[in-house]
């Protein structure tokens, strides 16, 4: 069952190119609502242009922001005020992730670039007892529910793009210039593997072709 035909997808891509907006940033405030008002150390994996890292710095004593792309990381440094406690590092999240422990770990639209189970295991090991892990990820649509939710996201996406750009043609924000790839895992596969590594993790499908995962370290 597919709600969106190739013709509709091409039209949506053309609209998004003319009226771009960051689907990942849409969830940044949602992420903050899952976190304590104040915490000591935070780690943002796949930090991109640093938008979320800068928000975390408003609550954290220090934020480590890691991304494998040196170009977008350089942009992030330029966009970050010198007084904010954010350190940007160009690193492979699977080989060079900064040691913890961290009170908060965030990962937005990045974990599908990594070996999923191994990445969750690394995050778990670096999370302090009582800490919070929040992931916003992408999944491959497979079930009727997936396709129905994807179809429902289309008019919402168009409305958001039109309103955010005030109906004008716009250039892509810096956050949308990083390399991307399609997700390979289905939501069901993600739920099963996450449950093995992070017992009690809360996962939900979301609008705009995303899912969320929240796990609190016992």
């Amino acid at each position: 069952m597919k709600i969106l035909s190739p013709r509709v997808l091409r039209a949506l891509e053309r609209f998004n190119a003319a009226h771009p907006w960051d689907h990942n940033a849409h969830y940044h405030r949602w992420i903050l609502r899952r976190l304590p008002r104040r915490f000591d150390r935070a780690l943002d994996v796949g930090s991109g242009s640093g938008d979320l890292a800068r928000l975390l710095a408003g609550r954290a004593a220090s934020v480590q922001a890691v991304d494998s792309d040196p170009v977008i990381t350089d942009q992030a440094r330029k966009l970050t005020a010198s007084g904010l406690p954010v350190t940007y590092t160009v690193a492979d999240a699977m080989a060079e992730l900064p040691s913890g422990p961290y009170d908060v770990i965030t990962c937005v639209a990045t974990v599908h670039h990594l070996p999923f189970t191994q990445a969750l295991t690394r995050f778990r090991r670096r999370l302090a007892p009582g800490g919070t892990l929040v992931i916003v990820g992408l999944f491959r649509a497979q079930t009727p529910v997936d396709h129905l939710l994807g179809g429902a996201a289309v008019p919402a996406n168009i409305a958001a793009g039109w309103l955010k750009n005030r109906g004008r043609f716009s250039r892509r924000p810096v956050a949308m210039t990083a390399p991307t790839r399609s997700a390979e895992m289905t939501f069901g596969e993600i739920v099963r593997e996450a449950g093995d590594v992070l017992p009690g993790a809360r996962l939900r499908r979301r609008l705009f072709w995303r899912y969320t995962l929240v796990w609190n370290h016992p």
Side-chain angles (χ1 to χ4, degrees):
M1 174 183 181
K2 288 189 177 181
I3 300 297
L4 303 181
S5 68
R7 183 177 179 181
V8 171
L9 288 173
R10 288 193 296 271
L12 185 61
E13 288 173 358
R14 290 194 297 271
F15 179 87
N16 287 341
H19 307 89
W21 64 281
D22 189 347
H23 297 82
N24 299 319
H26 172 77
Y27 287 99
H28 286 175
R29 296 292 176 184
W30 181 91
I31 291 171
L32 292 179
R33 290 195 294 272
R34 268 76 204 157
L35 304 178
R37 291 286 182 182
R38 296 294 305 174
F39 43 89
D40 187 21
R41 303 183 70 201
L43 172 66
D44 184 33
V45 181
S47 50
S49 59
D51 294 348
L52 179 56
R54 288 187 288 275
L55 291 174
L56 294 173
R59 298 189 182 186
S62 66
V63 179
Q64 290 283 339
V66 176
D67 199 287
S68 61
D69 183 358
V71 176
I72 198 73
T73 302
D74 185 57
Q75 292 292 322
R77 292 189 180 106
K78 293 176 181 177
L79 292 168
T80 302
S82 59
L84 283 180
V86 183
T87 301
Y88 293 99
T89 304
V90 178
D92 180 340
M94 295 308 297
E96 306 167 276
L97 203 61
S99 60
Y102 293 94
D103 304 295
V104 166
I105 298 178
T106 55
C107 183
V108 177
T110 297
V111 77
H112 70 288
H113 290 265
L114 308 172
F116 186 71
T117 299
Q118 295 93 317
L120 295 190
T121 301
R122 278 182 167 267
F123 298 162
R124 185 192 66 200
R125 290 173 177 170
R126 282 163 173 76
L127 194 63
T132 303
L133 167 66
V134 184
I135 293 174
V136 176
L138 286 70
F139 65 94
R140 176 171 59 86
Q142 181 188 52
T143 69
V145 172
D146 297 338
H147 292 296
L148 285 169
L149 191 59
V154 172
N157 176 82
I158 292 172
W162 185 264
L163 291 171
K164 288 177 182 292
N165 292 284
R166 299 179 182 178
R168 302 170 184 168
F169 290 90
S170 302
R171 299 181 66 177
R172 288 189 303 168
V174 174
M176 295 177 65
T177 60
T180 62
R181 62 175 288 187
S182 299
E184 297 179 357
M185 294 179 68
T186 66
F187 184 70
E189 291 168 339
I190 291 166
V191 170
R192 286 192 295 273
E193 292 195 26
D196 291 338
V197 182
L198 307 172
R202 303 182 299 281
L203 292 100
R204 283 190 60 184
R205 296 176 180 87
R206 299 285 177 177
L207 268 181
F208 308 125
W209 308 281
R210 301 293 188 269
Y211 73 88
T212 58
L213 180 157
V214 180
W215 186 67
N216 297 107
H217 195 307

